[in-house]
Amino acid sequence: MGAYLARRLLLIVPTLFGLSLLTFVISHVVPADPAKLAAGPRASEAMVATIRTQYGLDQPLPRQYLTYLGDLLRGDLGQSIMTRHEVTDDLRDRFPATLELSFYAMLLAVCLGVPLGLVAALNQNRWPDQLSRVVAVSSVSIPQFWFGLALQLVLASSLGLLPLSQRLPTLTRPPQRVTGLLTIDSLLAGQPDVFWLAVKHLVLPVIVLAIGSMAIITRTLRGDLLEVMNQDFIRTARAKGLPERRVIAAHTLRNALIPSLTMIGLSIGWTLGGTILVETVFDWPGIGNYAVESATRLDFNPIMGVTLLIGVAIILINLVVDLLYGVLDPRISYR
Amino acid sequence: MATDVAAPAASLAAGVAPAATSNLRRRLRRFTRNRVAIVGLGIVSLLVLIAIFAPALAPYPDDAAGAVHAPDALLPPSWAHPFGTDDLGGDVFSRVLIGARYSLAVGVAVVVLAIAIGVPLGAIAGYAGGVTNEIIMRATDIFLTIPGIVLALAIGSALGPGLVNATIALALVWWPGFCRLTQGQVLALREQTFVEAARVVGADGRRVVGRHILPNTLTPITVKISMDIGFVILTAAGLSFIGIGAQPPIPEWGAMVSLGRQFMPDWWWYVTFPGLAIFLAVFGFNMVGDGVRDALDPRGAR
C-alpha cells in the first residue's frame, strides 16, 4: 500500500505539470496582449509597458513558462486588481466557504441519490423507475442559476422561509475562525444560534448545487445495480435461501457501489464547477463567486488562481477515490 | 492495381449493407417506441421551427435588437405581452423566441468545432499508438480534469467577453470528450479482422482509418452528439449569465436571466420566461439523447 501510494503520488507530478502548462497557455498565449490583460482594463499605456517588462512578458515563451512555474511553486499567483490582495491570500480566505457548500451538497446528493437509484433499479421499467428517469433528466437540464433564482423568489422573497443569500445575516458576527467552515466554527465557539443561522443559509444553495450530482448518482447506480443483479452469484445467494433484503444490501448494493464510486468522484468535480454559478446567485463569498466577480472586471489573475486551485483539488480527489477502491473492493490489491 | 486488390473488400462491405439497413430500421423502431424520446423530439423540433421563423412569429421583432419603449417598461404578462416586458419596454416573448436562434447556433457550432478538433486527434492517437498516443491522451486528460464551466470561464475571459469568443472557448473545452471517445473506439477497432484484411490488401494508414475505422465509430459519436448539445446550450447560457458570453442587447436566454435578476422579486417574469426556455430546450435535447443512446447503444438498452 505504501509503495502504491508513493507511485500514485509520483504520477500526480506530470499531471500537475500539464495543468500548469494549460493555465500558462490560457494566460500567456491565448490573450491578444497578456500585459494589457494583467494590468486591467483601466491601465494606461505606460503601465502596460511597465508590467510587460516587469513580468517578463517580452521574453521568449519557454523562458516565460519557467518564470511562471517558479512563481507557482512559491505559491505566487499574482495580485488581484479588484481586492488589491495577493490572489493566494484571497483564495485562502474564500476557499472554506466553497468547501462547506460543496461538502454538504455532495452529502445531500449521495444521501438522496443512493436510495433513489436503489428504488429505480428494484422497480425496473415500472413507474418509480420512469419517474426517476424524468426527475434525473430534469435535474441535469435545469439551469442551476435559474433554479437558484426561482427558489429565492418563492422560498425566500415571497414566503420568507429561508434567507435570500450570503452565509450569515449582515449584522451577525461570524464565529472565531478555526476551520473557516461556519457550521463547525460556530459549534467550537459554543454559539448554537449562529450554527442554526449558518445552516439556514446553506439550505438553498446546497439544494441547487446537489440536484445535478444527485441525478447522475441515481442513474449510474441504477445501471450498475441492474448489471450486478443479473450475475450468477446473486442467483446463488437467492438459491441458498438468503432473505431478499440481505441479497440486496450485502451482495448487490456493495458490488454496485464500487463502479458507482467513480461517478461519485467525478460528480465532486461537477459540484466544484457548479459553485461558479451557484455562488454567484447566492452571493456566497467563495472562490466561484470570486472568479466571476473578477471576470466581470477583467481581473485575470484571480480567474487563473481559481482554475488552478479547482484543478489541483480534483486531481487530489481522484487520488482519494482510487485509494478508496481498495477499501471497498478487497479484490484490488495495491502492489 | 491497388483498386483491383481492394475490390473484394468493397464487395464484402456491400454484402453487409442489407443487414445494416434492417439494423437501422430496428434502431429507429426502438427510438420511436420510447415515448419520452418522442416528447423530447417534439420539443427539439418546435425549437428548431421557432428559431427558423422567429422574426415572423415574434409580435415585436425589433425588441430583439434592444429597441427602447420607456412607457412600456416592466409590464406584467398580458395579452399584448404574454411574457411581460423588460426594463427597456422590450417584449420578453419576442426576445425569447428570437433567443432560440442564439442557443441553437451556439449548441451546434460548439459540437461541430469540438468534433473537428477531437475526432481527428483521437483517430491519430488511437491508430498511431506509442508516444503520439501518450502525448495526445495526457493533454486530453488535463483538459478533462477541470470542470467545463471553469475552463470556459478562464479561456473566455482570456479571449474577452462576447458570444463568438464564448463559442470558441466552449469548443476548446468540449473537444477532449470526442477525442477520448474516438481514441478508445479506434484502439478497439484497429485489431479487428476486417481492419487487418484492409491492411493486408495494401491500404495505407489514411485509407484504413478513413474508410474502415472511422465509419464504424459513427454510432458512439452520434450518441455523444445527441447527449452533448443540451449540455453545451446549458453551459453557454451559464457563461452568458456570468457575463462572459452574449452581451446585451443580444436576446440570449442566459444573458436575459442575468439582466432580469436585478428586477427580482417584484418583476418576476423577467427572469422566469428566459430561464424556462433554457430548461425546456436542454430538457428536450437530453430526452432525445437518452432515446438515441438506448436505441443505438446495445449496452444501454436494458
Side-chain angles (χ1 to χ4, degrees):
Chain A
M1 180 85 185
Y4 174 80
L5 187 63
R7 207 175 49 218
R8 195 65 180 70
L9 279 173
L10 216 68
L11 271 176
I12 281 187
V13 175
T15 313
L16 290 175
F17 203 68
L19 182 64
S20 73
L21 198 60
L22 176 61
T23 50
F24 171 77
V25 170
I26 295 174
S27 56
H28 290 66
V29 184
V30 171
D33 187 348
K36 208 165 186 167
L37 201 59
R42 276 187 286 272
S44 66
E45 272 307 308
M47 271 164 75
V48 173
T50 316
I51 283 189
R52 189 169 292 130
T53 43
Q54 193 184 339
Y55 290 111
L57 292 171
D58 46 359
Q59 304 276 332
L61 282 175
R63 171 167 295 173
Q64 282 188 43
Y65 176 63
L66 287 181
T67 320
Y68 176 79
L69 199 61
D71 288 345
L72 284 188
L73 290 176
R74 274 183 280 110
D76 180 0
L77 297 171
Q79 268 199 349
S80 158
I81 300 165
M82 174 178 70
T83 63
R84 296 183 184 283
H85 296 155
E86 291 293 319
V87 170
T88 320
D89 295 336
D90 279 343
L91 290 178
R92 195 176 301 133
D93 281 350
R94 287 158 189 262
F95 190 57
T98 301
L99 195 67
E100 187 166 40
L101 183 60
S102 312
F103 173 77
Y104 288 112
M106 274 316 294
L107 195 69
L108 183 69
V110 172
C111 289
L112 287 179
V114 171
L116 285 178
L118 200 59
V119 169
L122 293 179
N123 295 287
Q124 186 188 3
N125 293 334
R126 286 199 291 271
W127 69 264
D129 187 28
Q130 302 297 356
L131 183 69
S132 107
R133 177 195 289 247
V134 174
V135 170
V137 179
S138 311
S139 306
V140 294
S141 304
I142 199 164
Q144 283 175 318
F145 58 90
W146 181 70
F147 185 47
L149 292 173
L151 290 185
Q152 283 183 332
L153 202 59
V154 177
L155 295 177
S157 298
S158 299
L159 301 175
L161 293 176
L162 288 160
L164 191 66
S165 59
Q166 302 269 356
R167 296 178 83 188
L168 282 177
T170 334
L171 296 176
T172 306
R173 256 185 54 182
Q176 199 197 353
R177 182 179 168 133
V178 184
T179 59
L181 310 180
L182 293 181
T183 45
I184 294 179
D185 286 355
S186 59
L187 291 180
L188 288 178
Q191 296 172 299
D193 50 327
V194 177
F195 171 80
W196 183 235
L197 282 171
V199 169
K200 285 213 283 195
H201 281 77
L202 273 164
V203 174
L204 291 185
V206 162
I207 290 175
V208 175
L209 197 53
I211 53 160
S213 303
M214 180 205 75
I216 293 170
I217 293 171
T218 304
R219 295 309 288 175
T220 315
L221 183 65
R222 171 193 177 271
D224 292 337
L225 279 169
L226 290 178
E227 202 150 314
V228 173
M229 278 175 184
N230 288 327
Q231 307 261 323
D232 289 342
F233 66 85
I234 297 299
R235 200 186 314 149
T236 308
R238 286 206 178 108
K240 72 179 184 187
L242 280 187
E244 184 65 17
R245 198 187 309 165
R246 195 164 157 73
V247 173
I248 298 297
H251 295 257
T252 315
L253 189 58
R254 177 149 183 203
N255 280 291
L257 270 179
I258 296 165
S260 288
L261 188 66
T262 311
M263 197 43 89
I264 295 177
L266 280 178
S267 52
I268 297 178
W270 254 63
T271 305
L272 280 176
T275 58
I276 295 269
L277 295 169
V278 175
E279 289 184 0
T280 303
V281 169
F282 289 96
D283 221 352
W284 196 261
I287 58 169
N289 194 1
Y290 181 54
V292 171
E293 278 182 8
S294 310
T296 51
R297 290 175 175 77
L298 299 177
D299 186 1
F300 199 60
N301 287 336
I303 302 171
M304 295 322 293
V306 170
T307 309
L308 269 169
L309 180 61
I310 290 183
V312 171
I314 289 175
I315 290 170
L316 293 179
I317 289 163
N318 288 341
L319 174 70
V320 173
V321 169
D322 274 7
L323 295 177
L324 268 179
Y325 269 131
V327 181
L328 276 179
D329 188 350
R331 284 169 302 186
I332 297 173
S333 65
Y334 295 115
R335 258 179 295 121
Chain B
M1 168 81 188
T3 40
D4 284 346
V5 204
S11 66
L12 202 70
V16 172
T21 318
S22 77
N23 203 10
L24 183 72
R25 205 170 294 152
R26 198 175 63 233
R27 288 162 163 181
L28 205 64
R29 206 168 43 234
R30 214 186 289 159
F31 182 84
T32 48
R33 259 210 309 265
N34 186 340
R35 258 173 298 166
V36 174
I38 292 301
V39 172
L41 196 64
I43 297 176
V44 170
S45 314
L46 188 68
L47 191 70
V48 172
L49 289 177
I50 288 176
I52 296 172
F53 298 110
L57 292 171
Y60 311 90
D62 292 344
D63 292 5
V68 181
H69 319 282
D72 295 337
L74 297 168
L75 294 175
S78 63
W79 283 114
H81 303 284
F83 293 177
T85 63
D86 62 20
D87 52 322
L88 300 177
D91 178 46
V92 175
F93 182 63
S94 301
R95 287 174 61 80
V96 166
L97 288 185
I98 290 176
R101 302 186 139 195
Y102 295 93
S103 288
L104 269 187
V106 170
V108 172
V110 167
V111 170
V112 167
L113 286 172
I115 289 174
I117 306 171
V119 170
L121 276 178
I124 292 170
Y127 194 74
V131 183
T132 318
N133 180 52
E134 276 304 308
I135 293 176
I136 294 178
M137 294 323 290
R138 290 300 79 77
T140 307
D141 285 347
I142 285 156
F143 272 83
L144 287 172
T145 301
I146 305 174
I149 183 120
V150 180
L151 194 57
L153 171 67
I155 300 176
S157 31
L159 292 169
L163 195 56
V164 173
N165 284 347
T167 306
I168 297 172
L170 282 170
L172 290 176
V173 169
W174 233 272
W175 69 267
F178 284 100
C179 180
R180 185 185 267 183
L181 179 71
T182 311
Q183 185 254 6
Q185 291 288 323
V186 171
L187 212 56
L189 288 166
R190 197 175 62 168
E191 309 303 330
Q192 302 266 319
T193 318
F194 74 93
V195 175
E196 217 168 301
R199 252 194 310 259
V200 167
V201 299
D204 61 357
R206 198 183 307 171
R207 189 179 165 84
V208 169
V209 173
R211 295 295 285 272
H212 298 274
I213 295 184
L214 278 185
N216 283 295
T217 64
L218 277 181
T219 301
I221 290 179
T222 310
V223 172
K224 188 166 169 55
I225 293 171
S226 68
M227 305 276 293
D228 274 12
I229 290 190
F231 289 115
V232 172
I233 292 177
L234 191 63
T235 316
L239 280 184
S240 294
F241 176 73
I242 57 184
I244 292 296
Q247 301 295 311
I250 293 180
E252 201 274 347
W253 296 332
M256 286 169 74
V257 174
S258 173
L259 287 173
R261 192 184 165 204
Q262 300 149 36
F263 299 93
M264 280 204 349
D266 295 340
W267 297 281
W268 53 270
W269 55 89
Y270 196 165
V271 296
T272 303
F273 293 107
L276 204 59
I278 305 171
F279 172 60
L280 274 180
V282 179
F283 184 77
F285 274 109
N286 284 348
M287 282 297 187
V288 172
D290 221 47
V292 169
R293 189 196 48 205
D294 281 357
L296 294 189
D297 179 2
R299 221 183 68 90
R302 279 185 295 238

